Each structure stands twice: as structure tokens, then as C-alpha cells.
Amino acid sequence: MAAAPDPAFELSLLTRSGGLLCGVDEAGRGPWAGPVVAAAVMLDPAFVPPGLADSKLLSERAREALFEALVASARIGIAFASVARIDRTDIRQATLWAMSSAVAALPGGPAPRLIAVDGRDVPPGLPCPGEAVVDGDAKSLSIAAASIVAKVTRDRMMTALAETTPGYDFERHKGYGTAAHQAALAAHGVTPHHRRTFAPIRRLLAGA
């Protein structure tokens, strides 16, 4: 079983937020193809699904089950930055924009008073103070929940993309630069779903 975040760390965030804490995380910064997806999650203190942990440490089955439990119990906002936005700005700026947009997409209810963000950056335009937490998905239950929502959402998007873009196995590698993905690019070329500003794709387009 994946190690759970430290309850004491989460309690410190909750105390400072007056119980109105929002966790934010993303999925898909590194892949060569597909969007980057961000999620904002405000857990229900009366029901925190057991087993929350960094999404990277969970099996696909566990992530899917926790995703469904979170959808049923938490307030969730989701946003994604398209490949066009990633190429127009850069992956960092696109990710920060998606994170801020995910917070803005939270459904009605009390507004968060503190937003805990995985990583080193606090997105601009947040409606309340934000706090960057390095390795936050391993430290905070709220950020871990956001990591699960972002990961499952993006994986489903890439699986759907595979149905309309055969030959690339997006449902398997989710756009990451695996050997299978490299072989597909060599055989079929670059698609509109690939990030043209990423070095491996840029080199392919240049014929290097």
C-alpha cells in the first residue's frame, strides 16, 4: 500500500485555512503529446476517502476507485491547457494557467482561504493566498487528492485520443516518450496532438 501523507501536515494547512483548504496538482507536464491537466480539490472533512496518496504510487485500479470516491464527496475543479497553449507559451506557464483555471472551476460553496499547490510555484490570479509545497502530493491529503483527479482525468483523455488517432498507442504510454511512442513517431510522423516546442518533436519536424 502506498504511504499516506502526514496527517499532521494536513492539519496544519487546515488550521491556517480555517477548514477551507484547496489542494492543487497537475498531470502531464512531461509527455510529448496531449494536454496538461490540473485539478483543484476541497475535501469534505466528514469524509476523506481512505487510501489517498501520491497518484504515482497507486495502481490504476486504486486511482480509479479513489477518483470515483472523490467525485462523490469532494468539491472539484478541473482545467486543461491544450497543446496549442503549451506551444504558444511554454509548459510552465501553461501549467500555472491550468492550475489557476481549475481553482476558478470549483463548484459553488464556501471559497477556499488557502490553496496548497504541488511544486515550487504559486499560480498567478488565485482568489486567496497560495502556498507552494514541494513534493506536496506526498505530504498533503488535499494535494494527493488533486493529483489523483488530474491523473485519472488526463489518462482518460489520452485513452479517448487513442480511439481517434490509431497507431500511436496513446492509451498505453499516455504521450510520454517511451520506446513504443518513438517507434510510432518514426513510422507515422507527428500529429496535431504532439507538442512541437518539445525538443524531441522539434527535432523530428526539422528532420534531424
Side-chain angles (χ1 to χ4, degrees):
M1 180 179 293
D6 182 3
F9 185 84
E10 185 77 1
L11 181 59
S12 71
L13 294 174
L14 282 168
T15 299
R16 285 189 284 128
S17 70
L20 294 173
L21 173 65
C22 176
V24 175
D25 201 359
E26 54 74 27
R29 284 186 73 144
W32 297 354
V36 61
V37 176
V41 176
M42 296 182 71
L43 292 170
D44 179 356
F47 178 71
V48 176
L52 288 179
D54 178 356
S55 63
K56 297 185 293 295
L57 303 179
L58 297 169
S59 68
E60 181 178 0
R61 177 178 293 183
R63 284 196 302 267
E64 288 282 349
L66 285 165
F67 176 88
E68 297 300 335
L70 289 164
V71 167
S73 63
R75 291 170 58 202
I76 295 172
I78 299 171
F80 70 91
S82 67
V83 168
R85 177 177 286 273
I86 293 168
D87 285 342
R88 187 170 66 248
T89 57
D90 57 46
I91 187 60
R92 177 177 175 273
Q93 294 300 322
T95 299
L96 294 175
W97 177 87
M99 287 177 162
S100 180
S101 298
V103 173
L106 284 166
R113 294 181 183 171
L114 177 65
I115 296 171
V117 184
D118 183 56
R120 299 182 181 277
D121 296 316
V122 174
L126 295 179
C128 67
E131 181 172 326
V133 183
V134 176
D135 295 327
D137 42 12
K139 297 176 181 177
S140 162
L141 287 167
S142 295
I143 296 177
S147 79
I148 291 166
V149 172
K151 170 68 173 168
V152 171
T153 299
R154 186 177 189 279
D155 283 358
R156 290 179 177 181
M157 292 174 75
M158 296 306 292
T159 297
L161 185 61
E163 297 178 0
T164 59
T165 315
Y168 289 85
D169 294 331
F170 285 135
E171 76 281 7
R172 294 186 180 182
H173 54 69
K174 307 302 190 293
Y176 283 89
T178 64
H181 191 181
Q182 293 177 55
L185 282 164
H188 306 296
V190 175
T191 74
H193 310 296
H194 284 94
R195 302 172 182 180
R196 282 160 164 72
T197 52
F198 275 40
I201 305 303
R202 192 169 63 244
R203 285 195 296 269
L204 276 174
L205 291 170

